[in-house]
Amino acid sequence: MTVRVGVIGTGNIGTSHARDLASRVAGATVTALYDADAGKSAALAAELGAVSLPTYEDVIASDRVDAVLVASPDNVHAEQALACLSTGKPTLCEKPLAPVEADARAVVDAEVAVGRRLIMMGFMRRFDPGYVELKSQLGPEGIGDPLIVRNCHRNEIAPYGLDSELSLTNAAIHEIDINRWLVDDEYAWVQVLTGRSGPLTPEEQHDPLFVLLQTTAGTLVEIEMFVQSQLGYEVTCNVTAGLGVAEMGDGSYVTTARARHRGHGLPAQWLGRFQEAYRLQLQGWITHLVTGGPMPGASAWDGFVDSLVANRAIDSLRTGERVEITLPERPALYA
Ligand SMILES: NC(=O)c1ccc[n+]([C@@H]2O[C@H](COP(=O)([O-])OP(=O)(O)OC[C@H]3O[C@@H](n4cnc5c(N)ncnc54)[C@H](O)[C@@H]3O)[C@@H](O)[C@H]2O)c1
C-alpha cells in the first residue's frame, strides 16, 4: 500500500517534508499541494509530479489524498487540523498545535469527538538518534533518575522575527515537549527569567530567555532560548541523574583539525541538525498508517499540553513570577 499525502504549506519545512516523502520515505507519495503563495506550490508540484490545488480544503477533500501534512504558519495549524479531522484523514501537523492553548484544546476536543487518534504532531526530536540515545541512558538500568536537565537552543537569526513570546510558543516549545518525553513526567511550574540581551535585541524584547521548569517528580529543567545568537543553529541537552551524567552535545560527531584550529562547523538552521530526525518521523508516521500499528510520535494531547505550558511561560514572562501549571484531566483516548 502506498499512502498518498497532500501537503499544506510548501515553505522551508513543507518543501523538505514533501521531498522526503517523495524520495526518502518508503510507502509514501505526494499527490497534492497547497500554499498561500500559489507559485511556490506549483513549482514543487511540477518537481514532484503532483498537483497544486487552489485551497487547502481542496487538498484535504481530494480523492487523490489519503493523509495530510500541515506545514503552514503556526496560527493556522489548529483551523487546518480541525478541517482534516472533519474528513477523518490522518494528519501530521507541524508544531505548535496552536500558539493559543484554547485553540489547541479545540483540536483535542474534536479528535475525542471523532473517537480515533488521527493527529500526530511534528515534534521530530522524539525521533532524533541523539535524544533517543540520551533517553535510553536514563532509569534504573542506566544513570538513574534525572535530577537536572540543561538545554540550549540557539538560532543564528530569529527565523520568524524577534518576538519573545514567539520564542516560547514557536521555539522553546521544542524543549517543553522533548523534556516531558525525556523524563516521562509533566511540569508543575515554570518561571521565565530575562536579563541582559544580545546586541540585536530590540528595546522591548528579551533574547536570550532563561526558562526554568520543575516537573511533578521534582526534576529541574532549564532552557537557554537564544533566537538571535548569530553563531549558527545549536541544540544541546545534558542530564545530571542520580548515578551519573549524560550529555547529548549538539549532534556533531566529527571534529577536524586544520591550520592550527580544531573544531567543527555549525549548521545555519534546523535542517542541518535534524534532517534525519525529520525523515525518521515521516517514516514512522507512514509505517504506522500502512501497518495500523501504534502512533509513534507526539499526540494532539501532547501538542495541547505543550501549548498550555508555553502559555504559562508567557504569563511568567509578562509578570516575572513563577507560574503553577495545572493540566486538565487527560481524555481516555490518550491513555
Ligand atoms: N519541527 C520543526 O523543527 C520545524 C522546523 C521549521 C518549521 N516548523 C514549523 O513549520 C511551519 C512552517 O514553517 P517554515 O519555516 O516552513 O515557514 P515558511 O515561512 O518557510 O513557510 C510557510 C509557508 O506557508 C505558506 N502559507 C501562509 N499562509 C498559509 C495558509 N493559510 N495555508 C497554507 N500555507 C500558508 C507561506 O506562503 C509559506 O510558503 C511553522 O509552523 C513552523 O513552526 C517546524
Side-chain angles (χ1 to χ4, degrees), residues 31-106:
T31 48
L33 305 163
Y34 166 76
D35 193 285
D37 177 342
K40 270 192 194 174
S41 48
L44 189 60
E47 176 188 323
L48 301 181
V51 292
S52 172
L53 296 175
T55 69
Y56 79 79
E57 290 93 340
D58 292 334
V59 170
I60 297 170
S62 171
D63 57 13
R64 297 159 160 258
V65 167
D66 306 312
V68 182
L69 193 155
V70 173
S72 50
D74 298 5
N75 61 341
V76 289
H77 291 177
E79 165 196 325
Q80 294 176 346
L82 285 171
C84 293
L85 281 173
S86 71
T87 63
K89 291 191 181 176
T91 303
L92 179 59
C93 180
E94 261 307 343
K95 44 58 58 177
L97 184 51
V100 177
E101 108 199 42
D103 295 340
R105 178 74 216 204

Side-chain angles (χ1 to χ4, degrees), residues 34 75 145 148 195 232 271 311 313:
Y34 166 76
N75 61 341
D145 293 331
I148 302 174
L271 282 170
N311 278 239

Side-chain angles (χ1 to χ4, degrees), residues 47-278:
E47 176 188 323
L48 301 181
V51 292
S52 172
L53 296 175
T55 69
Y56 79 79
E57 290 93 340
D58 292 334
V59 170
I60 297 170
S62 171
D63 57 13
R64 297 159 160 258
V65 167
D66 306 312
V68 182
L69 193 155
V70 173
S72 50
D74 298 5
N75 61 341
V76 289
H77 291 177
E79 165 196 325
Q80 294 176 346
L82 285 171
C84 293
L85 281 173
S86 71
T87 63
K89 291 191 181 176
T91 303
L92 179 59
C93 180
E94 261 307 343
K95 44 58 58 177
L97 184 51
V100 177
E101 108 199 42
D103 295 340
R105 178 74 216 204
V107 178
V108 164
D109 290 343
E111 192 173 53
V112 168
V114 171
R116 275 190 302 146
R117 284 179 50 182
L118 292 167
I119 294 179
M120 183 169 127
M121 291 300 307
F123 284 107
M124 80 299 174
R125 292 190 190 181
R126 293 176 180 224
F127 296 82
D128 177 64
Y131 278 108
V132 170
E133 170 72 11
L134 187 61
K135 187 173 170 69
S136 76
Q137 301 292 322
L138 307 181
E141 305 298 314
I143 60 172
D145 293 331
L147 310 179
I148 302 174
V149 190
R150 296 184 173 86
N151 301 269
C152 284
H153 184 163
R154 301 179 181 127
N155 294 85
E156 186 163 36
I157 51 158
Y160 311 108
L162 210 166
D163 171 333
S164 304
E165 297 190 0
L166 190 66
S167 292
L168 295 167
T169 61
N170 176 274
I173 201 160
H174 270 302
E175 274 72 25
I176 289 170
D177 182 74
I178 201 65
N179 283 275
R180 289 175 58 235
W181 172 84
L182 192 64
V183 306
D184 198 16
D185 198 1
E186 299 292 1
Y187 301 114
W189 56 260
V190 59
Q191 185 161 22
V192 179
L193 302 177
T194 59
R196 197 171 181 182
S197 276
L200 300 182
T201 312
E203 192 65 33
E204 67 284 4
Q205 301 294 336
H206 303 280
D207 185 53
L209 297 174
F210 189 85
V211 184
L212 186 60
L213 302 115
Q214 188 172 47
T215 71
T216 62
T219 305
L220 288 170
V221 174
E222 63 162 59
I223 307 165
E224 174 198 313
M225 185 67 247
F226 194 7
V227 288
Q228 202 91 287
S229 75
Q230 302 187 66
L231 61 83
Y233 182 75
E234 186 174 53
V235 168
T236 63
C237 183
N238 301 332
V239 181
T240 300
L243 303 170
V245 298
E247 303 185 2
M248 186 187 74
D250 65 359
S252 304
Y253 304 114
V254 176
T255 57
T256 306
R258 186 178 176 212
R260 297 183 188 161
H261 170 80
R262 182 184 297 277
H264 58 79
L266 286 176
Q269 42 94 302
W270 44 86
L271 282 170
R273 166 64 182 84
F274 287 114
Q275 185 77 66
E276 183 61 1
Y278 294 121

